[in-house]
Amino acid sequence: MMVENKELKIEKIKNGTVIDHIPSGLGLKVLKILHIDEDIKTSVFLGIHVPSKKMGFKDILKIENRYLAPKEIAKISLIAPMATVNKIKDYEIAEKYNVPPPKEVIGIVKCSNPNCVTNLNEPVVTEFKVISTEPLRIKCSYCEREMEGKDIIHNII
Amino acid sequence: MLKGKDIVSIKDFSEKEIFEIFEVAKEMVQYAKGKGTDILKGKILATLFFEPSTRTRFSFETAMLRLGGGVLSFSDPKSTSLSKGETLADTIRMMDSYADVIVIRHSYEGAARLASKFADHPVINAGDGAGQHPTQTLLDLFTIHNNFGTLKNLKIGLLGDLKYGRTVHSLAIALSNFGSKLYLISPKSLEMPDHIMREIQEKQKPIVTNNIFDVIGELDVLYVTRIQKERFPDATEYMKIAGSYRVDLALLEKAKRELIIMHPLPRVDEIAPEVDNTPHAKYFEQAFNGVPIRMAILSMVLGVR
């Protein structure tokens, strides 16, 4: 019961997207990768450190009048592979899905190796192979540097 | 079989392909020693060395010339349009339209992979920053194979700077794939980096030590690398460490008779000159092997072999 009460602290949205089960503390990062900043023209609600039956604590993000592009979902999967995305239409969940673990990571993460050729001014997009999903470990297809955890999160473009 | 293939990383080769290269390289030894041939007549190799190199560049150029082909190169990267701000991608596209095969060395990791995406002709990586140098790895493996007839079940010590030494990283991974036992011998501050250790440990548990005297008696191969002065905060520390990793006759008294000593060169003082005259010393043979190996690769990617 307590959990439900706390969740009600965040307003329901009419249309838009709810990203649930974001690991506690990473909600702000999700805002950042979705480029939600001072120019925002719609209502956004972020719950940080919200009690959760499944996760202990979680972050939850509600964005009004916006649906996510596949590339945005791919970015979220890098930092919150256990997140669920709900498409809300007229206050109801129209569609609900888990963020699929990435198979490859193209053009959404910068290589953390400062000496990687992709960090030069060359006409290429970054490309990583996924080595493992739990925990997520990726490898640059150019310099072969492996990245994981915070290293990936800090380098999302 | 390698026709048209880019040679970027040793991991791009199967075991079978590596042995095929060795077979062709063995045939090439006679030509590397001066017997004339013109199997690559009319073909042009462009060597793009954005970083200085002596052995690698000369051995590629020798290999091409001895096979009857021609070579295009620049003497100083500052003289190229890259210094005017041209992208590497554009430089590669241009050279690709002049030459049949491109060899590249660059200070940035991944540069050869990038070049291979922009060139239609085969690109051969001659070293990309701290990354890969596959023809060096092949000639190292070839030298070991020539001496023992196998790459399996050998006890191979890698000595010196295992942290920054580019050649030891891909060699270590290749050798563990072939099933040889690795001994990683280095000062604490120059141990094998974690990401290479992870790959090795997928195949075996290597022996890690900082004392060469403890393991010298077990080894079939001792691969020595240079410990660079600039890796140490002060000269005294460097002298102390470098001194304890020096290979000399006193150390070799404890070695097996069949032990071979290798070194990618240039050597400074990590191998005493008197070791050169012992049957253990194979580093000049190893340097020579660069030519037949590169002849094999050039003729194979150009589809002549």
Side-chain angles (χ1 to χ4, degrees):
Chain A
M1 278 314 270
M2 204 176 109
V3 171
E4 271 177 29
N5 284 339
K6 298 233 168 166
E7 278 192 339
L8 286 175
K9 283 181 182 168
I10 304 175
E11 206 167 309
K12 279 197 164 189
I13 57 172
K14 187 177 180 192
N15 292 303
T17 304
V18 174
I19 307 168
D20 201 357
H21 303 112
I22 302 168
S24 180
L26 290 181
L28 287 167
K29 190 71 201 176
V30 175
L31 280 186
K32 198 173 164 210
I33 64 178
L34 295 178
H35 301 293
I36 294 172
D37 51 26
E38 62 268 30
D39 294 328
I40 191 83
K41 303 233 169 10
T42 179
S43 302
V44 173
F45 306 91
L46 172 63
I48 295 180
H49 207 62
V50 179
S52 154
K53 272 185 205 157
K54 210 162 95 183
M55 304 170 68
F57 290 95
K58 66 179 182 183
D59 288 0
I60 178 166
L61 178 65
K62 301 187 177 188
I63 312 162
E64 209 152 42
N65 298 324
R66 177 165 163 190
Y67 300 104
L68 301 183
K71 200 169 173 177
E72 292 173 323
I73 294 169
K75 286 188 195 180
I76 291 170
S77 77
L78 296 177
I79 65 168
M82 64 295 286
T84 43
V85 177
N86 302 283
K87 260 186 173 178
I88 308 293
K89 283 186 178 159
D90 211 17
Y91 296 108
E92 299 294 327
I93 296 173
E95 208 181 310
K96 178 174 185 159
Y97 51 89
N98 291 315
V99 174
K103 289 194 181 69
E104 48 184 9
V105 176
I106 295 175
I108 54 175
V109 174
K110 184 170 132 357
C111 183
S112 65
N113 173 8
N115 209 44
C116 175
V117 75
T118 58
N119 288 320
L120 278 178
N121 188 26
E122 294 291 333
V124 285
V125 292
T126 59
E127 208 179 297
F128 299 84
K129 286 190 187 81
V130 175
I131 307 219
S132 74
T133 47
E134 273 176 42
L136 183 63
R137 236 174 63 215
I138 60 177
K139 185 179 199 161
C140 176
S141 300
Y142 286 87
C143 74
E144 302 188 5
R145 166 79 64 100
E146 287 185 15
M147 293 167 68
E148 58 184 14
K150 285 190 175 149
D151 214 11
I152 299 176
I153 294 174
H154 289 149
N155 284 290
I156 294 175
I157 299 167
Chain B
M1 189 156 147
L2 294 182
K3 186 179 176 185
K5 193 172 165 166
D6 301 308
I7 312 290
V8 175
S9 166
I10 190 72
K11 293 171 208 160
D12 297 343
F13 294 105
S14 66
E15 204 169 300
K16 189 164 165 265
E17 284 172 326
I18 290 177
F19 286 118
E20 276 172 5
I21 295 169
F22 290 176
E23 283 309 306
V24 178
K26 275 181 200 158
E27 284 172 44
M28 292 294 174
V29 168
Q30 51 181 323
Y31 304 120
K33 287 184 172 161
K35 186 181 168 190
T37 178
D38 58 359
I39 57 169
L40 292 185
K41 193 175 174 198
K43 300 285 185 192
I44 293 176
L45 162 71
T47 54
L48 307 181
F49 279 73
F50 298 101
E51 269 201 327
S53 149
T54 324
R55 267 159 307 281
T56 305
R57 177 167 164 179
F58 282 157
S59 67
F60 264 113
E61 296 187 355
T62 302
M64 194 65 185
L65 295 170
R66 288 217 189 269
L67 293 175
V71 175
L72 283 179
S73 62
F74 50 76
S75 51
D76 179 2
K78 289 190 194 76
S79 67
T80 67
S81 42
L82 273 177
S83 63
K84 297 174 191 158
E86 184 179 55
T87 60
L88 177 61
D90 279 3
T91 305
I92 294 297
R93 280 194 272 229
M94 177 199 68
M95 291 312 290
D96 186 45
S97 68
Y98 299 163
D100 301 294
V101 54
I102 294 171
V103 172
I104 179 173
R105 169 171 290 189
H106 198 279
S107 58
Y108 273 73
E109 283 105 68
R113 183 74 69 194
L114 179 137
S116 73
K117 297 206 180 215
F118 288 93
D120 291 332
H121 292 108
V123 169
I124 302 171
N125 186 2
D128 56 339
Q132 297 286 323
H133 189 359
T135 59
Q136 176 73 43
T137 310
L138 285 168
L139 77 89
D140 291 342
L141 295 172
F142 183 61
T143 305
I144 297 171
H145 192 262
N146 276 354
N147 278 277
F148 293 96
T150 179
L151 294 174
K152 278 189 214 325
N153 302 324
L154 296 170
K155 292 182 172 169
I156 299 183
L158 305 176
L159 174 77
D161 179 358
L162 306 185
K163 186 171 183 184
Y164 300 100
R166 168 173 60 196
T167 57
V168 289
H169 296 167
S170 29
L171 183 62
I173 291 166
L175 285 169
S176 38
N177 286 340
F178 278 110
S180 272
K181 180 79 184 163
L182 291 181
Y183 294 68
L184 308 176
I185 314 145
S186 71
K188 202 97 190 107
S189 58
L190 295 176
E191 280 180 356
M192 198 62 101
D194 287 346
H195 65 283
I196 306 288
M197 272 310 248
R198 263 203 301 266
E199 286 196 58
I200 296 171
Q201 280 162 346
E202 282 169 17
K203 304 282 177 187
Q204 63 168 279
K205 199 169 178 300
I207 290 173
V208 177
T209 173
N210 33 51
N211 190 348
I212 172 68
F213 281 92
D214 287 351
V215 294
I216 183 72
E218 297 175 37
L219 302 177
D220 299 306
V221 178
L222 179 62
Y223 193 99
V224 186
T225 62
R226 188 154 53 97
I227 294 180
Q228 294 180 37
K229 222 183 245 168
E230 53 270 30
R231 305 286 184 214
F232 290 87
D234 67 80
T236 332
E237 182 68 7
Y238 162 74
M239 295 290 279
K240 207 173 88 195
I241 298 260
S244 63
Y245 289 86
R246 187 173 152 92
V247 177
D248 55 18
L249 294 180
L251 174 72
L252 293 177
E253 275 175 20
K254 297 175 186 305
K256 281 195 215 169
R257 222 162 51 106
E258 318 76 69
L259 170 82
I260 67 165
I261 299 171
M262 296 171 64
H263 191 300
L265 304 181
R267 154 184 64 165
V268 184
D269 46 16
E270 55 278 15
I271 301 178
E274 62 262 27
V275 175
D276 299 359
N277 301 321
T278 70
H280 301 297
K282 297 291 177 191
Y283 25 93
F284 295 114
E285 174 186 318
Q286 180 188 358
F288 166 78
N289 282 340
V291 180
I293 277 289
R294 288 171 177 126
M295 284 175 145
I297 287 175
L298 287 168
S299 58
M300 290 167 92
V301 298
L302 287 169
V304 177
R305 284 306 312 262

